Amino acid sequence: MTQDRMDPTDVSLTALSRSVTRTGGKYLCGLLRCSLADREQVATGDLADRLNVSRASVTEMVEKFGDGDLVDHEHYKGTTLTGKGEVLARHLLWRRCVTEQFFERELALDVDVETAYRIGFEFPDAGLYRLAERIDHPCDRTCRATEPDECAQLTVGSA
């Protein structure tokens, strides 16, 4: 991951939605998870295995992200998130985490990872911020985990 970091308080999916689709966000989240597992560059095959998709799908998405400055990709070496890509991935994971925890704590409902991700992605920014306040979520707009085992919400479903 590169050091050109965005300020997490400036993160808004509404502002960034032009640069990533819901499915594309899963690829970014998968890259973050692999990166936190001490992989400097993530191989196409590793990300494909993590997301249960084809290598061709990963290559296509990575090339698309490269044009949008979300990832750095070197053929035959691997992919890393840019600062913007990392902040966006952490924001998407935060959104899913808030959604999942809200359903569990406030409604006593178990929501699977895929459903929580979809709801979190589609939910308006202001509403999600209010949910985070209501459940007293420990992170502020971005996931703060520095290791994969630090947060159970770092898992990513299939794309």
Side-chain angles (χ1 to χ4, degrees), residues 16-82:
L16 296 170
S17 64
R18 290 176 223 89
S19 60
V20 68
T21 63
R22 185 175 69 216
T23 299
K26 289 182 187 181
Y27 285 79
L28 293 176
C29 294
L31 277 168
L32 176 63
R33 176 71 163 88
C34 289
S35 296
L36 292 177
D38 294 327
R39 297 183 188 155
E40 190 168 309
Q41 291 186 317
V42 179
T44 302
D46 291 343
L47 187 56
D49 290 346
R50 171 157 305 283
L51 297 175
N52 196 28
V53 297
S54 71
R55 289 178 186 216
S57 294
V58 171
T59 299
E60 181 181 341
M61 190 64 72
V62 163
E63 288 174 355
K64 186 183 293 185
F65 287 150
D67 293 338
D69 297 325
L70 296 174
V71 301
D72 290 322
H73 177 72
E74 292 183 59
H75 289 287
Y76 306 108
K77 290 190 176 186
T79 303
T80 57
L81 289 167
T82 64

Side-chain angles (χ1 to χ4, degrees), residues 21-157:
T21 63
R22 185 175 69 216
T23 299
K26 289 182 187 181
Y27 285 79
L28 293 176
C29 294
L31 277 168
L32 176 63
R33 176 71 163 88
C34 289
S35 296
L36 292 177
D38 294 327
R39 297 183 188 155
E40 190 168 309
Q41 291 186 317
V42 179
T44 302
D46 291 343
L47 187 56
D49 290 346
R50 171 157 305 283
L51 297 175
N52 196 28
V53 297
S54 71
R55 289 178 186 216
S57 294
V58 171
T59 299
E60 181 181 341
M61 190 64 72
V62 163
E63 288 174 355
K64 186 183 293 185
F65 287 150
D67 293 338
D69 297 325
L70 296 174
V71 301
D72 290 322
H73 177 72
E74 292 183 59
H75 289 287
Y76 306 108
K77 290 190 176 186
T79 303
T80 57
L81 289 167
T82 64
K84 181 179 177 181
E86 181 180 351
V87 169
L88 180 53
R90 287 180 178 279
H91 182 66
L92 290 170
L93 288 171
W94 174 83
R95 294 177 75 89
R96 195 201 77 215
C97 181
V98 167
T99 302
E100 197 170 11
Q101 289 185 15
F102 174 78
F103 275 87
E104 288 174 7
R105 293 179 189 175
E106 298 294 316
L107 305 175
L109 294 172
D110 286 330
V111 178
D112 65 271
V113 171
E114 179 67 25
T115 301
Y117 177 82
R118 279 196 329 263
I119 293 170
F121 190 91
E122 299 296 335
F123 212 72
D125 289 334
L128 207 60
Y129 301 149
R130 283 194 294 271
L131 291 182
E133 288 175 9
R134 181 177 179 98
I135 63 170
D136 195 26
H137 195 275
C139 299
D140 183 23
R141 298 188 188 186
T142 61
C143 176
R144 301 288 185 194
T146 58
E147 296 179 16
D149 297 337
E150 191 175 329
C151 180
Q153 270 59 37
L154 284 175
T155 60
V156 179

